[in-house]
Amino acid sequence: MVAWEPGIRFSYAMTAINLPLVDAMLADWQLADQGDGTTRVRFTIHYRIRRELRAVHPLVRKAFESTPRKGIEKLPSYVVQVSGA
């Protein structure tokens, strides 16, 4: 963990990972209460792509951009499901 502020921010770094696309990564999640019952989520990721995959970097970048977005979009229904609301 690089930063941990409950309800506000969490950041983590992975410097020795076995993901097939990257060999290091830093992710930063920032949460902001919008005052209307919603939360703005800002997600930033930095990574070092494996040398042998640099030619396909545009495809890798799209995967890294879409994966967190998909998870965030599904989060409200998941919270309702696990909370029983």
Side-chain angles (χ1 to χ4, degrees):
M1 292 302 291
V2 177
W4 178 258
E5 299 174 64
I8 299 171
R9 182 181 198 177
F10 62 98
S11 302
Y12 52 90
M14 294 182 270
T15 58
I17 56 179
N18 61 359
L19 290 175
L21 303 174
V22 299
D23 54 19
M25 183 169 67
L26 171 73
D28 181 39
W29 296 81
Q30 296 181 31
L31 311 172
D33 183 350
Q34 297 297 97
D36 61 358
T38 64
T39 301
R40 180 177 53 87
V41 179
R42 180 175 178 227
F43 175 73
T44 307
I45 188 167
H46 303 274
Y47 56 88
R48 184 173 59 222
I49 192 161
R50 293 190 183 278
R51 182 174 305 225
E52 62 272 17
L53 297 173
R54 289 187 181 153
V56 296
H57 183 241
L59 299 174
V60 173
R61 182 176 41 236
K62 287 183 185 210
F64 274 108
E65 289 173 354
S66 66
T67 300
R69 187 176 304 116
K70 289 176 186 175
I72 291 168
E73 289 170 355
K74 293 179 181 180
L75 187 59
S77 62
Y78 173 77
V79 170
V80 169
Q81 178 185 350
V82 298
S83 69

